Amino acid sequence: MPATSKLCSGVIVVGACGLGGKAFLAGSPSGAALQEPSAALRGAVQKPAQTSAVAQSATAAMTVAGVAVLGSIAASAGRGKVKRASNIACNFNKEAQLGAQAPLGFFDPLGFCENEEKFIDLRQKELKHGRLAMMAALGMLGQSLVQLPGMEGVPKGVTACVSGNGQVGFLLILAIVSGLEAAVFVQDPKKEPGNFGNPLPWWDDYSEEMRARELNNGRIAMFSAIGIISASLYTGKSAAEQFGL
């Protein structure tokens, strides 16, 4: 039984005993009370009986007040325990989350992750941007080596998305990505951020080590994609030419 329930039970028992005792004494008149009629006939004053009744009423009132005070203390103690338990249940340590590792630890210099809700939202976005960057970096390298039919006159650099048939291909890619984002890759709040199931049935490894590798590769790929785009715009060279191929 919880401590609060025991305290409340004790309060009820003590109050019941006090009130029961007073009722028993009031229902058992003493010899002095039995002699009151004869005393009244002789003209005696009944002040002692009145004083006894007043004393009993005061004692009963004090007993009720004590029960009320103890009940208030028990209720306050119960609320305090519930509040402490809720604080413990809502504890969230962002320093211990996946991706917080040496040498930087949990890197959030601007303090965006104020609570668990914001952390989960930003982690979802980080994973999506990382996966997109990995495909983009690989795609920019691939298009500079191999071109699809109908794209012969399209530049091999990042300006392909605004030149000739390259515009059609770019809009088609955007349409496919938007459809996947809206209908397929929808985050389930009951699962970890970025967990959309396993698209490769023959590769089933959802360990923390593999998840950390994906997260780190996505971070590197974001820097890689930004570097390829920036260098291509500045030098006019494709991704393969930047590697000297």
Side-chain angles (χ1 to χ4, degrees), residues 50-119:
Q50 294 177 357
T51 303
S52 177
V54 171
Q56 291 179 359
S57 300
T59 304
M62 292 176 64
T63 303
V64 173
V67 171
V69 171
L70 291 177
S72 301
I73 296 174
S76 300
R79 287 195 297 268
K81 290 184 178 180
V82 172
K83 186 176 181 180
R84 288 194 296 272
S86 62
N87 290 337
I88 295 173
C90 296
N91 189 21
F92 173 71
N93 184 14
K94 59 184 180 181
E95 303 288 344
Q97 299 302 312
L98 187 70
Q101 57 193 39
L104 298 178
F106 185 82
F107 187 73
D108 185 21
L110 299 181
F112 288 124
C113 299
E114 298 177 355
N115 49 45
E116 185 177 4
E117 182 180 359
K118 289 187 177 180
F119 172 82

Side-chain angles (χ1 to χ4, degrees), residues 158-183:
V158 295
T159 56
C161 62
V162 294
S163 303
N165 292 336
Q167 298 179 6
V168 179
F170 181 65
L171 294 176
L172 181 60
I173 292 175
L174 288 181
I176 294 174
V177 170
S178 300
L180 293 174
E181 176 73 15

Side-chain angles (χ1 to χ4, degrees), residues 7-227:
L7 182 58
C8 292
S9 301
V11 169
I12 295 173
V13 171
V14 171
C17 292
L19 293 177
K22 295 303 177 182
F24 178 79
L25 292 176
S28 302
S30 61
L34 293 174
Q35 296 175 0
E36 286 180 1
S38 60
L41 292 176
R42 292 193 299 269
V45 182
Q46 300 180 5
K47 288 183 180 180
Q50 294 177 357
T51 303
S52 177
V54 171
Q56 291 179 359
S57 300
T59 304
M62 292 176 64
T63 303
V64 173
V67 171
V69 171
L70 291 177
S72 301
I73 296 174
S76 300
R79 287 195 297 268
K81 290 184 178 180
V82 172
K83 186 176 181 180
R84 288 194 296 272
S86 62
N87 290 337
I88 295 173
C90 296
N91 189 21
F92 173 71
N93 184 14
K94 59 184 180 181
E95 303 288 344
Q97 299 302 312
L98 187 70
Q101 57 193 39
L104 298 178
F106 185 82
F107 187 73
D108 185 21
L110 299 181
F112 288 124
C113 299
E114 298 177 355
N115 49 45
E116 185 177 4
E117 182 180 359
K118 289 187 177 180
F119 172 82
I120 292 176
D121 179 62
L122 293 176
R123 175 51 57 86
Q124 294 175 4
K125 294 176 180 177
E126 181 184 21
L127 284 170
K128 286 184 178 181
H129 282 87
R131 292 166 179 172
L132 179 62
M134 286 188 280
M135 292 186 288
L138 184 61
M140 286 186 288
L141 180 61
Q143 77 170 13
S144 61
L145 298 174
V146 180
Q147 286 186 307
L148 297 175
M151 300 290 180
E152 290 80 5
V154 177
K156 296 183 178 181
V158 295
T159 56
C161 62
V162 294
S163 303
N165 292 336
Q167 298 179 6
V168 179
F170 181 65
L171 294 176
L172 181 60
I173 292 175
L174 288 181
I176 294 174
V177 170
S178 300
L180 293 174
E181 176 73 15
V184 180
F185 297 129
V186 179
Q187 179 65 50
D188 186 354
K190 297 180 181 180
K191 296 182 178 180
E192 301 87 353
N195 184 1
F196 302 111
N198 184 16
L200 302 176
W202 60 86
W203 180 265
D204 188 11
D205 186 1
Y206 196 67
S207 61
E208 288 193 1
E209 180 182 358
M210 186 57 65
R211 292 168 59 196
R213 288 182 180 181
E214 181 194 22
L215 191 59
N216 289 330
N217 282 311
R219 292 167 176 173
I220 295 174
M222 285 188 276
F223 283 103
S224 175
I226 293 174

